[in-house]
Each structure stands twice: as C-alpha cells, then as structure tokens.
Amino acid sequence: MSQNGKKILIVDDEASIREMIAVALEMAGYQCMEASNTQDAYALIVDDKPHMVLLDWMLPGTSGLEFARRLKRDDRTAEVPIIMLTAKGEEDNKVLGLEAGADDYITKPFSPRELVARLKAVLRRTTPQGIEDPIEVNGLVLDPICHRVTSDQDAVDMGPTEYRLLQFFMTHQERAYSRTQLLDQVWGGNVYVEERTVDVHIRRLRKALGPQHEHLIQTVRGTGYRFSTKAS
Amino acid sequence: MSQNGKKILIVDDEASIREMIAVALEMAGYQCMEASNTQDAYALIVDDKPHMVLLDWMLPGTSGLEFARRLKRDDRTAEVPIIMLTAKGEEDNKVLGLEAGADDYITKPFSPRELVARLKAVLRRTTPQGIEDPIEVNGLVLDPICHRVTSDQDAVDMGPTEYRLLQFFMTHQERAYSRTQLLDQVWGGNVYVEERTVDVHIRRLRKALGPQHEHLIQTVRGTGYRFSTKAS
DNA sequence: TGTAATTATGACAGATCTGTGACATTTCGC
DNA sequence: GCGAAATGTCACAGATCTGTCATAATTACA
C-alpha cells in the first residue's frame, strides 16, 4: 500500500495541537512531520522537502509571520506552499500573512474538513501537474491527469476508450465484470452498443499493453473480464 | 464547499470509539453517522442510505456477525458494503465475518491510515462510479471518471483535448497560463504544436461550454488564458 | 471426439478529432 | 483615428477512433 501521500510539515509550539492536526491529516492520507520551532522547521523543510507547511502564527522566538517571509526569500524553500494558522478573527493578520507569502490562512478553531479542504485547494493551485495520483502496478503507470499510460518510462499508445477501460480496471482490480457492467461503467449508462464491442476493445487494450502486461487483463469465461496481477 | 463526502455509518456500543473513528473519518472528508445498537443502525441504513457501514464485532443483543448476515439477506440493505471491526487476532472470526457478507475486516487496534485505506479500497471495489470526486463550479460539473462534463444535468459535448483543457483549468483556477504552458500541461511536454492551436481549442471549449459558462475562460491579453469565476 | 457456445482477431466504413492556414475582429499605443 | 499586434473564427484535409460484422480459434460438455 504505497500511498502517494503528500508530506505535510506542521509547525506549532504546542505538542497537543500538532498531534491533533497530524492524526487528522494522516487520516486523510497525508504524511506528517512536526516541528515545535522555526529552527527545526527550517531543517526539515530543507532536508525532507515537504509538499506543504502548516505554520502557526504564534511561535516562540521568530514569529510565524517572520518565518514565512524568510522562507519565501530563501531560494531553497521559496517553492513550499504555506498555510498560516492563527487565533480567531484578526483580519489584519490575514493580510499580513498573505503578503508575507502564505498561500492561505486558516483561523482557529477550524473543523477538520475545512483544514483538509483548504489544504487540498492550495496543493491543487501550487502543484504543477494536478491533483490525482498516478496508479501503478508492475511498472505500468496510469496518469489520470495526462490521460497517458507508461510502461517503464515508455509511453503506451491507446485510444480514449482503451484508456478509460484500463482506468476502470486499475481502479477495480481483482474482480470480474460482465460486458454489460463494463458498458455501463466505461461507456456510460445509456448508450446502445453491442456487447461484443467490449471484446474488441479488450483486444485493443491488450495489444496496446503488449506482451509484458497484457496478461493483466484476464478472460473469465461465461462472465466477462478481470484485471488482476495474480495469474488466473 | 459541497464536498462529495461519502456517508459512513459507525456501529459500536462504545461512544468513545465511535467518536474517535468519526473524527478521523471526517478529517478524511467523509460524513459520519453513528449508532450504538443494531436497531438504530438498521433504521439509519434504510433511511439515510450510507455508503458504508463500519460494524463492531461485539455488540449488545444481536452480535455484529448476526447483524451483518441479516443486512446481506435484506434486499433493502444488501448493497451496503460492510467492514467489520474486531479485537485483535482471531482469524476464525475473519472467515466468519467474510462469509457473513462483510466486505473487509479490520483488527483493533488499527491505525487511522489503515482504516482509511481499507475503506477506500472497499468503496473502490463496490462503488459503481469510481473514486475521484467531480469538480464543480457554478453548476458546471467535471467528472474525472466518465470524462464527461455536465451543466445543470445536461451533458456538454466536447473533444478529448477540450476536456483535458477544461480539466486543467478547473484544477488550476484563478491564474493565467501562457500558450506554451498550456501546451506543456495539457498536450504533454514534447510535442510540436503551433501555439496558435491553443486559441482554436480555447474557442472550441468556449463554444462547448455555451453562453452560460464560456465567460469562465478569460483571455489575458499578451499572456494567455485564465479560468476564473470572477469577472475580469 | 464432436459439437455448440464462447471468445479472439482482423478488416472496414463512418464518425469524430486535430492541427493548420487564411481571414475577420479586437485591442492597444501612438 | 491609424496601424500593428494579438486574438477570434472558420473551413478543411489528414489522422485517429469506433462500432460492427465476418471468420478463426478456443473452450466446455455431452
């Protein structure tokens, strides 16, 4: 289960708050690091290159604001998106925070959902390639953004329908689907297409995958097809 | 922020455990309901149609096992996927649980990540439509699974390139992109295509979006294009 | 083994999609 | 207002994609 969870650095001097946020984010599939002061934080950012920093406004020593500004000036850390955490309702701070280079600003207390939502939004804005993670199996990589498939770096050419078919299979592994189900799921409910057409696209998909991967698409006689990494 | 969080019903007689799981799942973007006994649980399943039930093995009155079996026999509830929660390491129970119709089985104590991962896996297996959430803005809905766009229920027709272009824009709002950037991001790195081609596809996309939504794609003279819900 | 059912494969014509060039229109600086 | 630059729009030809049919290969079962 090699989840492609983004790494999030939480900077707050209160351990309980750090912990709370960390547990929360881990539930959402993120990987967390913690720092209680700006020195540790800086080291972690440089070393571990987190995808995002959650930065408390109030910190002993250097203030969060100051720290954010410093991060944005430093070439090595300027790219990391920052969300500032702060006590309730100080609109002035918001402006200051955003000017200092923070990408978003969230007011305590905040709901878990809000945090995750903001975090996603910022990652979405700042991540070059998009949101969804590629799906990978046996060196076969499906990129939900580029609608492209690669096998050990080499691009695999296939038509849109084959791509969607493969996408469906890669997200619904180890289970057989009837032609009708595939038509519903991949072609989309209300179109009239011959069931046999599925066979043809399965054929095209297998061909596109080549000898190395075609065995992933297995025929379940009398039933339909299945995507599985295990031999049948 | 109308997140498309799936509804999860947590059935456990210990309120503290329910609460813990609930908080955790809400962090991950799910919507939770709780029940402390099977009667309440059944009512909730029928009424609110949760997308998944987390069912504790040990329950007062009817056992979790018994309840699972009952749910699977009842037409009104047979479709709901079930994950059984149980105390550590009783492999026999696992078999019983799965035979009773549970879709997965998780042993306490479990890590938040594990729970979410299992939950996702089961939802993925059992959910007809797929994983990723649709992106929505102003009644314009982009479905990353079906590669389909709808505007207030009506399907919006466009070619694959237009779809990808729109997808890119909807995931990178409020910021202008040059033609070169768009070619890189949407067409994918190393292809030689005229820059002006982007204009044409922008045109096609606007046309496909129709009067109601075409204004979302804004021209930034001298720079490129931007997707924004705010007027320029 | 023989036969019927099921699946694999190849070819094809129609439909759709794409990139480009040509020309119209808009915008901006002077 | 004028002219140059940038963008909008259209039509078209080549390429790709799709669904279907016909036929071969495989499988299951009597």
Side-chain angles (χ1 to χ4, degrees), chain A residues 5-11 17-35 44 48 50-54 115-116 119, chain B residues 27 112-113:
Chain A
K6 307 269 182 191
K7 287 182 287 188
I8 314 291
L9 172 62
I10 304 161
V11 187
I17 292 187
R18 286 204 307 274
E19 194 56 31
M20 198 188 69
I21 297 178
V23 169
L25 292 183
E26 278 171 12
M27 295 297 314
Y30 297 96
Q31 205 177 325
C32 293
M33 303 180 292
E34 303 179 22
L44 277 171
D48 283 352
H51 295 89
M52 157 94 54
V53 176
L54 297 183
L115 177 59
V116 173
L119 202 136
Chain B
M27 297 296 314
R113 299 192 72 137

Side-chain angles (χ1 to χ4, degrees), chain B residues 99-158:
Chain B
E99 276 181 355
D103 294 84
D104 203 353
Y105 181 95
I106 192 167
T107 306
K108 291 192 267 193
F110 45 82
S111 80
R113 299 192 72 137
E114 187 181 358
L115 177 59
V116 172
R118 297 262 196 150
L119 202 137
K120 272 188 186 164
V122 171
L123 281 176
R124 180 182 298 172
R125 281 208 301 271
T126 57
T127 301
Q129 278 304 5
I131 346 165
E132 296 114 34
D133 297 329
I135 307 170
E136 189 270 338
V137 51
N138 285 359
L140 188 69
V141 178
L142 182 137
D143 187 331
I145 296 298
C146 297
H147 297 204
R148 211 169 35 183
V149 179
T150 53
S151 171
D152 298 323
Q153 305 290 1
D154 298 326
V156 179
D157 262 359
M158 62 183 71

Side-chain angles (χ1 to χ4, degrees), chain A residues 1 11 76 88 90 107 109 114 124 132 203 220:
Chain A
M1 181 86 41
V11 187
R76 290 200 291 174
K88 64 179 171 185
E90 295 162 320
T107 306
E114 188 181 358
R124 181 182 297 173
E132 298 113 34
R203 154 73 172 147
V220 182

Side-chain angles (χ1 to χ4, degrees), chain A residues 33-52:
Chain A
M33 303 180 292
E34 303 179 22
S36 63
N37 60 67
T38 57
Q39 286 198 352
D40 293 357
Y42 185 80
L44 277 171
I45 294 171
V46 172
D47 289 351
D48 283 352
K49 303 225 166 260
H51 295 89
M52 157 94 54

Side-chain angles (χ1 to χ4, degrees), chain A residues 6 18 38 52 60 87 94-95 97 117 123 139-140 156 176 194 223-224 232:
Chain A
K6 307 269 182 191
R18 286 204 307 274
T38 57
M52 157 94 54
K94 176 162 187 173
V95 176
L123 282 175
L140 188 69
V156 179
E194 290 289 322
T223 305
S232 56

